[in-house]
Amino acid sequence: MKSHQAIMDSSPIIAWIHNISLNQQKYMKRKFKDLDLGHDVRYIMYIYDNPNCSQEDLVNMFCQSKGNIAKVLRKLEDGGFIKREVDPENRRKYKLNTTEKGRQLVPKYRELSKNWELEVGIGEDELELKNRIREIAINGMKLTENNEG
């Protein structure tokens, strides 16, 4: 049985999305063999797109524990992708920014990611699909936020 045969009509859509994510990560890992970043690249990209963001921003965005985020940030900082600076307005917080190494990685990663999308059939004309998936992701975040209180 070929692995793609496990994608069944009866599978929940989240299983398909998870499969897509894992396969995209495998593809990217092969392209960036020397980096061993896996899913951690998403944090670099978020920091790149949101200069001076905080660890708390990452906790909220990615639904990860503070401890897990701190561990990943340490790895990314040790790898030279990000830098943490004490926030002068709140000395208990850090402002996060990409380093030159991180700033060089993001455009390369995005280009390869776009190539992967084209290879699997997600074209430039799929704006409606992309917007709908983004909307679902936001709704999921809101739903979990509303149920936490």
Side-chain angles (χ1 to χ4, degrees):
M1 180 175 180
K2 295 190 178 194
S3 61
H4 66 271
Q5 291 173 322
I7 302 293
M8 306 219 183
D9 288 344
S10 61
S11 298
I13 192 169
I14 197 68
W16 301 345
I17 292 169
H18 185 67
N19 179 279
I20 292 167
S21 176
L22 290 175
N23 281 299
Q24 193 257 5
Q25 287 304 310
K26 284 180 190 177
Y27 175 89
M28 298 305 278
K29 191 172 185 175
R30 278 197 307 264
K31 297 294 183 181
F32 289 101
K33 290 178 199 148
D34 54 324
L35 295 183
D36 188 33
L37 288 172
H39 279 93
D40 293 346
V41 74
R42 64 188 171 162
Y43 304 113
I44 298 169
M45 294 174 71
Y46 183 87
I47 294 167
Y48 177 91
D49 291 336
N50 299 280
N52 296 317
C53 63
S54 69
Q55 181 174 327
E56 190 68 27
D57 294 331
L58 294 173
V59 167
N60 294 329
M61 177 64 195
F62 296 105
C63 302
Q64 298 288 317
S65 70
K66 289 180 183 181
N68 188 43
I69 293 293
K71 189 168 92 173
V72 171
L73 291 177
R74 207 169 306 114
K75 175 185 170 185
L76 297 177
E77 190 173 30
D78 290 348
F81 296 102
I82 66 159
K83 60 184 173 189
R84 291 189 270 188
E85 299 169 331
V86 174
D87 185 342
E89 294 177 20
N90 183 347
R91 301 198 55 77
R92 292 180 294 159
K93 288 188 173 185
Y94 288 97
K95 296 188 310 182
L96 305 171
N97 288 288
T98 50
T99 61
E100 184 61 30
K101 184 177 179 180
R103 287 188 294 274
Q104 288 178 8
L105 172 68
V106 171
K108 291 176 188 174
Y109 189 90
R110 286 195 169 136
E111 182 179 341
L112 281 171
S113 186
K114 184 175 257 206
N115 290 341
W116 178 86
E117 288 179 6
L118 292 171
E119 288 283 327
V120 300
I122 305 170
E124 296 288 333
D125 58 340
E126 302 286 351
L127 190 57
E128 187 177 326
L129 172 66
K130 290 178 181 180
N131 285 338
R132 183 66 183 124
I133 291 172
R134 181 176 179 272
E135 182 182 322
I136 291 167
I138 290 169
N139 288 342
M141 291 172 72
K142 288 178 182 176
L143 182 62
T144 57
E145 287 171 3
N146 292 339
N147 288 330
E148 289 175 358

